[in-house]
Amino acid sequence: MNDLISIVVPVYNVEKYVEESLKSLLNQTYKNIEVICVDDGSSDSSLSILKNIADSDNRVKIVEQKNAGAGAARNNGINYANGKYIYFFDSDDIAAKNLLEKAYNRAQETDSDIVAFNGYTFTDDDISTKKLKKGYNSNIIKDKNEIFSYKTHCDCILSIVNVVPWNKLIKTELIKKNNLKFEEISSSNDITFSAVCSAYAQKIAVVNEALMYYRLGHSGTVSSTKQKNLGNVERAVESVVEQTQALPYYNEIKTAVQRFVIDNYTFAFMNYTNDFTADIAKGFYEHIRKRFQSELFDGLTKEALNNEKLFALFEAVKNASYEQMLERRLKKIIVSFTTYPKRISSAHKIVENMLSQSLKAEKILLYLAEEQFPNKEKDLPKELTELQGQGAVEIKWCDDLRSHKKYFYAMQEYPDNLIVTVDDDLVYPGDMLQSLYYSYLCFPNCVSAMRAHITVIDKSKKDILPYSKWFKEYREHILTPSSQLFATSGAGTLYPPHSLNELAFDKDKIKELCPFADDIWLNANQLLNGTQTVCAVNNFYLNYIDETQEESLYEVNVAQNQNEIQYDRLRAYLKEQYSCDILYERLADASSQISFGDIESVCRYVEYLDSVNLECSHKLKTAYTEKSEINSKLQKTYKEKAERGEKIKKLNSEIERLKEIIKTKNEYIEKLKKYSFYPIYKRIKKLFKRK
């Protein structure tokens, strides 16, 4: 088979890139193509370049129109398309040579209406900066050979294929028969078209390969001139609702439509409303809130939506007025951490990690104990002081409260901000702050954590089980508030203003009751204050910085059972102060919010996990000990090698010196040979040797 493929290319002021872009299409391994270039009223030399290319290759067709935007240009191009398939391509992007061949072959073997594939994005005209951009949701379509449609994925069909135009080959018949169009607006014009195509398609297939390169950051491209016009988002999304409601099987895909609306509106809310005080942001927020309260979403449940993250923000927007949401959005994020001399060499890595986050913090604070660094900045590594000099981190000197320093001072100095605590030995994912902030917007009165345990209680005995029997690293239901969730503060935890009891800032009690376990201290003070915890993600794992685990609080608090000792000591003190087991009572009130099965089976499972954790801990400690011994031997070997090298160097130097002496002696003898007394000298030398 060798069907014609129509490639529609909107062109607007891309004189620097359009030739390279078109060459990548004309040099495809699949040759039977027509390239329909729709010049959208370019004011530079783009049209002239197009004409020169068309003169040399009759597969290029040029359509001219007055400037009307990319959506109108693509719709115009569809009218001229004669191919069995259509591919939409932007005039500054680059296609891999086998893009059309791969997509066409997949379409032929599956008879699909749509074939979706991946691509790369790149910036600054430098293709080496490429990053993978998924063309479809691989969390839903896990098998690359799967053929799907609204019949197989009725609850999410509009959210599987990425809505960008360049990631799919589409049957022309699907578009023309159903009169599918791009919205003719300045931005978001592809949202409606892509979603409705997926709703109509009887078969969709994928190619799990990156087949093109999408340029970011060029001021003349479709994507970069696309303004974050919230009115356009409204129009595009509402058009999807209107068109899908006209389908005879709308009721079957209603949940997919709900998910699509929530997904696109909350995405715009999170990414396009940076200045939330602006009138346009206020108008957009009030529109989506009203939409979420409309009949379209009557009776929608978390289970039906099957997306805990989307449902949490949907509920937050639906229930919070603009003024309430504005109050949340005005809060600033401040990252706070601490370290000590043995780990100070890697402190700059934490700062750099926070600087690379997708959501930036207002401040990054590092609290150091003066007594541990008596010369202050002079005792710090160059990498850290350079970051300090650049204003990337503020170093604050304080009393030594061990790990408690990471929250104790920041919360008091910045009481009305969002304090995010991190540790000095972990590498955090680039979207950590984004995940925590998302959780905070959903639950502004809760502590949001990347990692949490379950505090296990036994209602029959009205008791809290020992720390070793708690359910560690809970990942079942994210964004579900509970008092039983125990945030591990160093793994990345966001504390909203005034979330702790005032006892939290009593230095003497910290030192007396909980000197090594800031997590336990913070959790107890949350409970005293009635503050619940939310787990922000379900896929966080501890990723340690190299060579930071030779000495850690884990060895003290877990391996030596200090967590239980400190928890019991703190609990006994609070019983005395409140004349009741206040921690148990706070935990028991909220226990029904998280279901995790029969208490005995949970405890047995937890005991098993703890035995595994303890075994791993011992193995880790042994490994570090062996590594340390090997390093010591290696250093000794390096030292001996260096000493031998120095000795060899000295011997070589001595040899060279002796060679020079011998050379000088030989030269002198040659001179003596010229004189008459030289034979007499040789005889005298022999006589002396005999004696």
Side-chain angles (χ1 to χ4, degrees):
M1 299 295 290
N2 189 28
D3 296 304
L4 179 67
I5 297 177
S6 301
I7 307 171
V8 175
V9 185
V11 177
Y12 180 72
N13 289 351
V14 282
E15 60 184 4
K16 183 178 178 182
Y17 304 106
V18 67
E19 185 173 359
E20 179 186 22
S21 179
L22 291 187
K23 280 184 178 179
S24 75
L25 296 175
L26 298 173
N27 291 331
Q28 288 287 299
T29 54
Y30 190 90
K31 301 298 183 183
N32 191 18
I33 63 174
E34 59 175 4
V35 183
I36 303 165
C37 298
V38 183
D39 182 72
D40 189 32
S42 295
S43 58
D44 65 359
S45 61
S46 296
L47 181 57
S48 176
I49 295 170
L50 290 180
K51 289 178 178 179
N52 288 336
I53 295 172
D55 287 342
S56 61
D57 195 319
N58 60 13
R59 294 178 297 173
V60 177
K61 300 176 181 178
I62 300 172
V63 177
E64 297 181 46
Q65 68 176 38
K66 291 182 179 179
N67 181 251
R74 292 188 183 112
N75 288 336
N76 199 358
I78 291 170
N79 295 330
Y80 291 88
N82 299 303
K84 182 177 180 179
Y85 297 94
I86 292 182
Y87 176 50
F88 297 98
F89 194 68
D90 283 350
S91 53
D92 66 330
D93 296 337
I94 302 169
K97 273 196 169 185
N98 59 355
L99 183 157
L100 295 177
E101 181 183 356
K102 290 266 187 181
Y104 174 79
N105 288 344
R106 183 69 172 140
Q108 286 297 105
E109 69 186 30
T110 60
D111 190 29
S112 291
D113 297 314
I114 300 172
V115 173
F117 46 84
N118 305 324
Y120 293 113
T121 61
F122 66 100
T123 57
D124 302 321
D125 299 341
D126 181 2
I127 209 164
S128 68
T129 63
K130 67 181 182 180
K131 293 182 180 178
L132 182 66
K133 176 80 170 178
K134 295 292 288 185
Y136 64 96
N137 191 331
S138 55
N139 292 322
I140 299 174
I141 305 302
K142 297 181 180 180
D143 180 0
K144 66 180 181 180
N145 296 313
E146 182 178 352
I147 311 301
F148 58 96
S149 70
Y150 70 89
K151 297 173 184 176
T152 60
H153 292 76
C154 60
D155 61 340
C156 61
I157 188 59
L158 306 185
S159 302
I160 298 177
V161 177
N162 196 315
V163 296
V164 296
W166 47 259
N167 70 333
K168 57 185 79 68
L169 186 69
I170 309 171
K171 269 187 181 178
T172 306
E173 182 184 14
L174 177 75
I175 297 171
K176 291 190 174 182
K177 180 181 177 181
N178 298 297
N179 196 29
L180 303 182
K181 301 287 185 182
F182 287 86
E183 291 293 318
E184 297 192 2
I185 48 182
S186 60
S187 64
S188 304
N189 58 76
D190 46 0
I191 292 177
T192 306
F193 179 82
S194 295
V196 178
C197 278
S198 292
Y200 272 98
Q202 299 299 305
K203 289 183 179 180
I204 304 173
V206 302
V207 175
N208 190 32
E209 294 181 45
L211 300 179
M212 60 84 65
Y213 299 83
Y214 182 78
R215 192 186 307 269
L216 296 172
H218 165 49
S219 61
T221 64
V222 172
S223 65
S224 59
T225 55
K226 168 182 160 181
Q227 299 299 308
K228 302 301 184 288
N229 189 323
L230 297 170
N232 286 347
V233 175
E234 288 181 27
R235 177 173 163 180
V237 171
E238 295 303 328
S239 181
V240 171
V241 175
E242 182 181 343
Q243 292 186 57
T244 53
Q245 284 179 335
L247 291 169
Y249 46 87
Y250 167 72
N251 286 333
E252 295 176 45
I253 64 169
K254 182 177 178 180
T255 301
V257 176
Q258 292 171 328
R259 178 171 177 166
F260 176 84
V261 174
I262 296 170
D263 198 359
N264 281 275
Y265 275 157
T266 55
F267 179 85
F269 165 72
M270 291 295 296
N271 293 278
Y272 300 166
T273 60
N274 293 331
D275 181 6
F276 201 62
T277 62
D279 288 341
I280 192 169
K282 179 180 180 181
F284 177 73
Y285 180 80
E286 290 179 339
H287 166 79
I288 65 173
R289 185 179 181 224
K290 184 178 180 181
R291 182 37 126 174
F292 290 174
Q293 293 171 339
S294 71
E295 184 181 353
L296 175 63
F297 296 99
D298 282 352
L300 179 65
T301 64
K302 183 192 298 186
E303 292 70 28
L305 191 63
N306 195 28
N307 188 310
E308 292 170 311
K309 185 176 179 181
L310 271 185
F311 189 80
L313 192 52
F314 161 75
E315 285 281 288
V317 170
K318 185 173 80 169
N319 296 321
S321 67
Y322 169 76
E323 289 71 25
Q324 289 171 322
M325 188 58 72
L326 176 63
E327 185 180 356
R328 299 176 200 179
R329 294 285 297 267
L330 289 176
K331 298 285 191 296
K332 303 296 184 184
I333 295 175
I334 295 176
V335 174
S336 181
F337 75 110
T338 187
T339 190
Y340 61 107
K342 284 194 175 180
R343 288 187 184 167
I344 192 65
S345 61
S346 60
H348 70 280
K349 295 180 181 179
I350 303 298
V351 178
E352 290 164 352
N353 191 189
M354 293 302 106
L355 291 173
S356 66
Q357 291 286 307
S358 57
L359 179 66
K360 307 303 179 188
E362 181 75 9
K363 291 178 182 290
I364 301 172
L365 307 177
L366 171 57
Y367 288 90
L368 299 175
E370 289 189 68
E371 62 190 75
Q372 292 180 331
F373 302 92
N375 299 308
K376 293 191 174 180
E377 275 78 4
K378 292 180 181 178
D379 290 335
L380 306 182
K382 180 183 177 183
E383 297 91 338
L384 183 59
T385 54
E386 284 181 350
L387 287 168
Q388 181 191 28
Q390 296 163 12
V393 61
E394 293 182 26
I395 297 175
K396 295 181 176 281
W397 301 98
C398 60
D399 295 336
D400 187 12
L401 285 176
R402 297 188 174 89
S403 59
H404 293 268
K405 298 195 299 295
K406 69 172 170 266
Y407 71 87
F408 186 89
Y409 299 101
M411 287 185 183
Q412 294 180 84
E413 189 173 353
Y414 303 96
D416 297 317
N417 289 282
L418 310 174
I419 305 300
V420 175
T421 56
V422 296
D423 265 353
D424 59 354
D425 59 351
L426 292 175
V427 178
Y428 298 91
D431 62 350
M432 180 196 71
L433 292 181
Q434 184 80 43
S435 297
L436 292 174
Y437 187 65
Y438 187 104
S439 175
Y440 158 73
L441 290 178
C442 297
F443 302 100
N445 298 317
C446 295
V447 167
S448 293
M450 296 293 286
R451 177 174 177 263
H453 304 327
I454 291 285
T455 309
V456 182
I457 61 173
D458 186 341
K459 283 191 172 182
S460 64
K461 297 179 181 178
K462 294 187 176 181
D463 198 10
I464 304 172
L465 271 64
Y467 179 89
S468 60
K469 301 200 185 309
W470 294 1
F471 196 94
K472 305 301 192 303
E473 299 195 14
Y474 180 78
R475 297 190 179 97
E476 291 300 313
H477 298 294
I478 64 168
L479 298 174
T480 303
S482 174
S483 294
Q484 282 186 269
L485 282 169
F486 177 97
T488 60
S489 62
T493 303
L494 183 150
Y495 293 88
H498 319 298
S499 53
L500 304 180
N501 185 272
E502 60 183 12
L503 174 66
F505 307 104
D506 187 328
K507 279 187 182 182
D508 293 334
K509 289 303 176 186
I510 289 173
K511 294 175 180 178
E512 175 190 342
L513 302 171
C514 236
F516 300 105
D518 60 282
D519 290 351
I520 286 173
W521 182 255
L522 287 165
N523 177 259
N525 278 282
Q526 276 183 237
L527 293 175
L528 294 178
N529 211 47
T531 304
Q532 295 183 331
T533 297
V534 173
C535 193
V537 296
N538 58 7
N539 57 353
F540 180 81
Y541 298 90
L542 299 178
N543 183 11
Y544 292 106
I545 296 173
D546 291 341
E547 300 180 0
T548 58
Q549 297 306 295
E550 286 84 349
E551 178 183 304
S552 72
L553 282 177
Y554 181 88
E555 290 297 322
V556 175
N557 289 335
V558 179
Q560 298 177 25
N561 208 34
Q562 282 298 313
N563 271 336
E564 290 184 11
I565 293 171
Q566 292 173 95
Y567 193 83
D568 290 344
R569 190 162 58 211
L570 174 57
R571 189 177 168 197
Y573 168 77
L574 293 175
K575 280 183 182 179
E576 182 181 337
Q577 294 298 307
Y578 286 85
S579 302
C580 66
D581 193 349
I582 186 68
L583 295 186
Y584 171 79
E585 290 188 4
R586 294 292 165 86
L587 291 166
D589 284 345
S591 61
S592 61
Q593 294 186 9
I594 290 186
S595 174
F596 49 92
D598 174 68
I599 187 71
E600 291 183 4
S601 62
V602 168
C603 290
R604 285 196 295 271
Y605 182 58
V606 168
E607 285 174 356
Y608 163 73
L609 289 179
D610 280 345
S611 67
V612 172
N613 284 340
L614 195 57
E615 182 182 354
C616 289
S617 173
H618 289 319
K619 287 181 179 179
L620 185 65
K621 188 175 181 180
T622 301
Y624 276 122
T625 301
E626 290 177 0
K627 180 182 175 182
S628 180
E629 290 173 354
I630 290 170
N631 279 337
S632 296
K633 290 177 181 178
L634 194 59
Q635 293 302 321
K636 185 178 179 181
T637 302
Y638 283 144
K639 185 178 178 181
E640 291 173 352
K641 183 179 177 182
E643 289 173 351
R644 287 197 297 270
E646 191 63 32
K647 190 171 182 180
I648 290 169
K649 186 178 177 182
K650 288 179 179 178
L651 288 171
N652 286 336
S653 178
E654 181 66 13
I655 289 169
E656 292 300 319
R657 189 181 70 83
L658 292 172
K659 282 182 178 179
E660 284 296 319
I661 292 173
I662 292 169
K663 180 182 177 184
T664 303
K665 177 188 171 185
N666 289 337
E667 289 174 351
Y668 187 65
I669 289 173
E670 289 300 319
K671 288 179 181 179
L672 287 176
K673 288 179 180 179
K674 296 177 181 179
Y675 298 96
S676 58
F677 60 80
Y678 180 71
I680 300 171
Y681 155 76
K682 288 179 73 176
R683 284 197 290 272
I684 293 170
K685 187 176 179 182
K686 285 180 181 179
L687 286 172
F688 275 107
K689 279 186 177 180
R690 288 174 192 166
K691 291 182 180 181

